[in-house]
Amino acid sequence: MDVCVIGVGYVGLVTAACLAHAGHSVIGVDDDREKIELLQGGKLPIYEPFLNELIAQGVGEGRLRFTESVAEGVRPSTVVFICVGTPPLENGEADLSAIEDVVRRIAEVTEGRKVIVEKSTVPVQTGVWIEKTLNPFGRGAGGRFVVASNPEFLREGSGVEDFLHPDRIVIGVEHHEEEQVLRALYDPIIRGTFPCPVHQPCSPRREVPFLVTDIASAELIKHASNSFLAVKISYINLIADLCERVGADVEKVAEGMGLDRRIGRAFLDAGIGFGGFCLPKDVQAFVRIGEKHGVDLRLLKEVERINEERVDVVIRKLRDHLSVLRGKVIAVLGLSFKPNTDDIRFAPALEIIRRLLIEEAKVKTYDPKAMPRVRKILGSVAFCADPYEALDGADAAVIATEWEEFRSLDLRRVKERMRQPVIIDGRNILDPRVMESLGIEYSSMGR
Ligand code: NAD
């Protein structure tokens, strides 16, 4: 099938590469010239495991190319995915200006019939609004457009795997025609009929559930899912605080809770809270959606508040160990909002660093992938070549991202390098007993 993907960021690029891998002919479009030039030159603007290989393969086999021109992408395509950003406005609502811009441009250049798919995360009823925007060109008037919703659930850091082996594919449609087109498009993924780039050898795959709903329900599924995940994280973080007060271990509590199939263990990891381009903005947007439609989603406001206070917990723990932060050297290990990505949007590590700089502490940092992005926005921080350089002469360290390489630190070397061996483990990745045996002052979250 001929497919156009507009907006080749974290979601669009994975979507384009994976659909090409599944056998489709894909054109990726973006208005960021630098990004398109990088992609045309065979380079990646982001880090995401397996993406490099898939893009090289797709381009090499002639099934994937990139352009700045919406017309060039849209005209030959049967299906057009909108994957542009929907960042939060000041008041927390989703900013739909990029969506609107893209929709208008699609309308201007389209010839022939297209299925326009909203894959960006959008407030419920955006599909109706897109239909209206396209109305003069729409089904009633010459029938050039049909609109569908297809929310994306991939996680950065495992985006390719999640796209090719999803828990479910959800589509929201108003007519059988769109359903048939999208079912055919996703058929190789539903049935797993392509060589798997992630798991080799690939175990037999189960058929992926393909859920067809109306457009509003599909839109709601995305916001409701992300908000629910945020609830789980904030909930376990509250439990972590309680565990610390009463001498319990949050990991044991999470294990005991998670064994209950009604609850499940995922997203019950206590820590410094959620970040990234999805949960924080989607929770905010969902609260505004509730307000707009007269439903009080204040439960989610609490979830946000609890999440924001996780940074206070880290600062308090540092104070407990160091008393005064002014002039102290603090090593922050990890900058991306989660491991295996270079994405720093709404990363808790950045908020921790900002707070430390306000306290006039000196910050040294190391991250395997995200430092180039942070360099552009934070000048007064020392960027180091490896974790040991960051820890050299530090009065304390904060582990802010659970990168694999921090799990296997040589802790004797760490202790030797630090001026004071104080570690605040914001992701519970080190073993408290080992730390105690080494004489490292160690504080984690709820253990
Ligand atoms: P992103 O910022 O990485 O990518 C958006 C891309 O759209 C950028 O490359 C930008 O240059 C391009 N763009 C913006 N305006 C444009 C325009 N008018 N014309 C052409 N291109 C334009 O964002 P992302 O993380 O890929 O997220 C995209 C959407 O997917 C958001 O709605 C987000 O909530 C949703 N989502 C994100 C994730 C995730 O993990 N990042 C997961 C699921 C859903």
Side-chain angles (χ1 to χ4, degrees):
M1 207 173 277
D2 290 308
V3 180
C4 173
V5 175
I6 306 185
V8 283
Y10 286 89
V11 165
L13 207 47
V14 170
T15 301
C18 289
L19 289 177
H21 181 72
H24 300 296
S25 177
V26 184
I27 306 178
V29 179
D30 206 290
D31 68 352
D32 181 337
R33 170 163 299 173
E34 206 181 316
K35 208 170 251 189
I36 291 299
E37 281 175 359
L38 274 174
L39 287 163
Q40 286 171 338
K43 294 204 173 75
L44 244 63
I46 57 167
Y47 171 73
E48 186 63 39
F50 300 103
L51 193 55
N52 212 352
E53 296 86 323
L54 277 199
I55 289 182
Q57 182 197 23
V59 171
E61 292 171 6
R63 271 179 285 106
L64 179 60
R65 64 192 175 87
F66 299 97
T67 174
E68 255 184 281
S69 159
V70 172
E72 198 184 324
V74 168
R75 283 202 179 121
S77 301
T78 312
V79 181
V80 179
F81 282 95
I82 302 177
C83 300
V84 296
T86 47
L89 292 166
E90 277 287 289
N91 68 359
E93 256 176 61
D95 180 353
L96 298 180
S97 54
I99 302 256
E100 178 164 33
D101 177 49
V102 166
V103 168
R104 286 191 193 286
R105 284 165 62 195
I106 294 171
E108 280 159 21
V109 300
T110 292
E111 292 152 5
R113 198 167 170 80
K114 316 278 173 209
V115 181
I116 311 296
V117 186
E118 46 167 41
K119 193 175 252 315
S120 301
T121 302
V122 291
V124 60
Q125 296 185 338
T126 300
V128 177
W129 170 71
I130 293 178
E131 287 253 22
K132 272 194 197 144
T133 310
L134 292 172
N135 205 21
F137 316 88
R139 194 186 291 273
R144 286 205 270 144
F145 298 109
V146 287
V147 176
S149 163
N150 172 218
E152 182 51 57
F153 302 99
L154 67 79
R155 298 160 298 172
E156 285 176 28
S158 53
V160 169
E161 174 162 16
D162 292 346
F163 195 96
L164 293 175
H165 305 286
D167 288 342
R168 78 294 209 193
I169 294 169
V170 174
I171 62 158
V173 293
E174 299 303 341
H175 302 91
H176 189 55
E177 177 194 341
E178 302 86 280
E179 176 187 337
Q180 274 182 320
V181 171
L182 289 175
R183 198 182 278 278
L185 180 88
Y186 277 116
D187 185 66
I189 292 175
I190 295 169
R191 293 190 299 118
T193 53
F194 50 83
C196 171
V198 182
H199 303 289
Q200 278 156 355
C202 192
S203 49
R205 283 172 253 172
R206 66 180 172 95
E207 201 164 294
V208 174
F210 187 78
L211 179 66
V212 183
T213 71
D214 57 281
I215 294 183
S217 300
E219 291 168 333
L220 266 185
I221 286 169
K222 176 62 190 176
H223 267 127
S225 301
N226 271 6
S227 297
F228 187 71
L229 295 175
V231 171
K232 277 188 101 174
I233 295 173
S234 281
Y235 185 76
I236 201 66
N237 281 332
L238 279 186
I239 303 298
D241 288 348
L242 188 57
C243 285
E244 286 187 15
R245 304 290 195 287
V246 301
D249 181 341
V250 73
E251 289 198 338
K252 295 276 175 256
V253 175
E255 190 185 342
M257 288 170 65
L259 285 169
D260 185 329
R261 271 174 298 170
R262 294 169 304 175
I263 299 174
R265 176 63 182 79
F267 278 69
L268 289 181
D269 292 312
I272 57 174
F274 54 80
F277 196 52
C278 287
L279 297 197
K281 80 169 174 56
D282 291 352
V283 168
Q284 274 185 24
F286 209 29
V287 170
R288 298 296 161 261
I289 291 167
E291 280 168 6
K292 189 171 161 196
H293 297 281
V295 176
D296 187 349
L297 295 182
R298 96 182 80 160
L299 165 71
L300 297 179
K301 285 192 186 164
E302 266 310 286
V303 166
E304 265 188 288
R305 186 189 62 75
I306 294 163
N307 196 53
E308 281 160 13
E309 286 180 4
R310 300 317 287 167
V311 174
D312 301 337
V313 173
V314 173
I315 301 295
R316 178 172 48 72
K317 282 176 184 279
L318 281 170
R319 273 218 190 86
D320 286 347
H321 286 275
L322 304 176
S323 297
V324 176
L325 298 182
R326 187 159 179 236
K328 297 280 162 59
V329 178
I330 314 289
V332 175
L333 299 184
L335 293 168
S336 55
F337 82 94
K338 64 189 287 197
N340 299 324
T341 177
D342 59 350
D343 196 350
I344 55 164
R345 293 176 290 183
F346 303 98
L350 299 195
E351 199 44 44
I352 291 171
I353 291 177
R354 281 193 196 102
R355 289 282 294 277
L356 290 173
L357 293 176
I358 290 170
E359 301 275 348
E360 296 184 38
K362 295 185 179 121
V363 177
K364 296 175 80 182
T365 188
Y366 167 75
D367 185 285
K369 296 286 177 198
M371 287 198 292
R373 288 188 192 276
V374 180
R375 257 200 194 102
K376 289 182 190 160
I377 53 169
L378 281 180
S380 43
V381 170
F383 294 94
C384 301
D386 60 45
Y388 301 102
E389 191 187 319
L391 291 160
D392 205 17
D395 293 292
V398 176
I399 300 176
T401 314
E402 62 274 40
W403 282 98
E404 204 50 45
E405 78 174 272
F406 301 151
R407 291 180 195 273
S408 51
L409 284 172
D410 177 344
L411 294 167
R412 285 179 209 283
R413 203 170 147 203
V414 167
K415 192 180 173 194
E416 278 164 21
R417 288 283 192 118
M418 295 181 76
R419 186 151 61 192
Q420 302 185 59
V422 173
I423 297 184
I424 312 298
D425 183 353
R427 298 297 184 183
N428 288 354
I429 60 174
L430 301 177
D431 184 338
R433 284 162 305 181
V434 173
M435 307 303 276
E436 192 180 349
S437 70
L438 289 170
I440 293 176
E441 282 185 49
Y442 176 75
S443 180
S444 54
M445 299 283 155
R447 301 191 296 174

